[in-house]
Amino acid sequence: MSIRLPALPADPEAPFPPGQTALRHPDGLLAIGGDLTPQRLLNAYRHGIFPWYSEDQPILWWCPDPRTVFRSDGVRLSSRFRRWLRHSDWQVRADTAFDGVIDACARMPRAGQRGTWITDEMIEAYRELHELGHAHSIEVFAGDRLVGGLYGVAIGRMFFGESMYSAESGGSKVALGALAQRMREWNWPLLDAQVENDHLLSMGAERWPRARFLATVAELTADSLAAPAGAWTERFGTLGAAELAPAGHD
């Protein structure tokens, strides 16, 4: 049986269909078409919607139920990993290597994860969002070498994660843990992880009913003063990976 989806009009300011109207099979498929202009993308994220499609497909828009999220105080690092971190000299920064992070996420094939879905069109779109100060990268360095990271979009007090990667074991965990720590300090309670996988669930990701997620997104993205557009390099600062594993917290 063919699937009939709402087609987005050419106007990038046009509204999306309500997220609650997304298909059950495949879960969360909401609309087709449109473009990846900054206006369209920011409008999508404000309504809990994200693009996800492969090179040979038109743009597809999703709003799954349940939604995979992290509370910023709920990211878990295992005791073994925290013990390793206490001896690590890795450093975490933001928005100093956005191109390196998104390119690495796109190149790294991983079963069950979205790196291989990052098309050239999406890379260019998120680079433009980054230049406008809405998309951000969290980068993990060993000296001058990038060993892991993640990128996503910030609106209000909400961070919408898009993809993460590790060039060395634990790189993505450190990026996620560092982002969660800064979000706690900024009073940002929620990080969208979109679609579940075992790795995310093992680190504390939760499955939220779509209605709860969309209501929370509407509240958190309304605080426009919480995340003024611009680079996070100074605001995020430099965080030592060892700071994510203070002694006595195993």
Side-chain angles (χ1 to χ4, degrees):
M1 182 176 63
S2 62
I3 297 173
R4 300 193 64 175
L5 290 171
L8 298 182
D11 180 5
E13 303 283 355
F16 282 85
Q20 296 90 335
T21 64
L23 299 178
R24 297 304 305 174
H25 304 287
D27 177 39
L29 184 53
L30 177 68
I32 189 170
D35 52 42
L36 299 179
T37 59
Q39 302 96 312
R40 181 104 59 183
L41 284 170
L42 292 173
N43 186 29
Y45 285 110
R46 287 190 185 98
H47 293 88
I49 299 162
F50 60 88
W52 186 10
Y53 63 102
S54 62
E55 198 75 56
D56 59 348
Q57 294 177 320
I59 300 173
L60 302 174
W61 301 89
W62 301 77
C63 188
D65 186 17
R67 189 65 161 249
T68 304
V69 301
F70 284 97
R71 289 178 291 105
S72 60
D73 62 357
V75 174
R76 293 197 303 260
L77 302 176
S78 70
S79 295
R80 180 179 180 182
F81 189 60
R82 288 198 302 271
R83 289 193 295 270
W84 180 86
L85 283 177
R86 291 183 190 124
H87 303 285
S88 172
D89 62 356
W90 288 0
Q91 300 286 312
V92 188
R93 299 192 282 274
D95 287 345
T96 68
F98 184 88
D99 285 353
V101 169
I102 195 170
D103 288 346
C105 288
R107 289 195 311 267
M108 190 162 290
R110 294 156 295 181
Q113 299 208 16
R114 299 187 58 244
T116 55
W117 293 78
I118 303 172
T119 66
D120 289 345
E121 183 181 27
M122 291 182 77
I123 289 173
E124 290 307 312
Y126 287 96
R127 281 177 175 160
E128 185 174 4
L129 272 187
H130 173 66
E131 291 167 2
L132 293 171
H134 300 292
H136 304 281
S137 57
I138 309 301
E139 309 132 3
V140 184
F141 288 92
D144 294 330
R145 189 163 51 89
L146 192 61
V147 295
L150 62 82
Y151 76 96
V153 176
I155 304 175
R157 291 193 297 131
M158 183 84 196
F159 189 86
F160 300 88
E162 271 297 314
S163 187
M164 60 184 183
Y165 87 102
S166 296
E168 290 195 12
S169 179
S172 63
K173 292 180 183 179
V174 170
L176 181 60
L179 174 59
Q181 179 161 316
R182 287 294 189 247
M183 288 177 64
R184 291 195 300 274
E185 294 167 0
W186 300 342
N187 193 31
W188 291 29
L190 199 66
L191 189 161
D192 176 30
Q194 298 183 348
V195 180
E196 73 176 67
N197 60 51
D198 290 343
H199 176 63
L200 297 178
L201 295 175
S202 73
M203 292 187 66
E206 302 176 1
R207 302 179 185 93
W208 279 24
R210 181 168 52 210
R212 179 187 179 188
F213 173 77
L214 294 179
T216 303
V217 167
E219 176 184 351
L220 294 177
T221 59
D223 189 354
S224 60
L225 297 180
W232 276 7
T233 306
E234 183 175 347
R235 183 182 192 186
F236 192 94
T238 299
L239 181 66
E243 298 177 57
L244 302 177
H249 286 255
D250 287 343

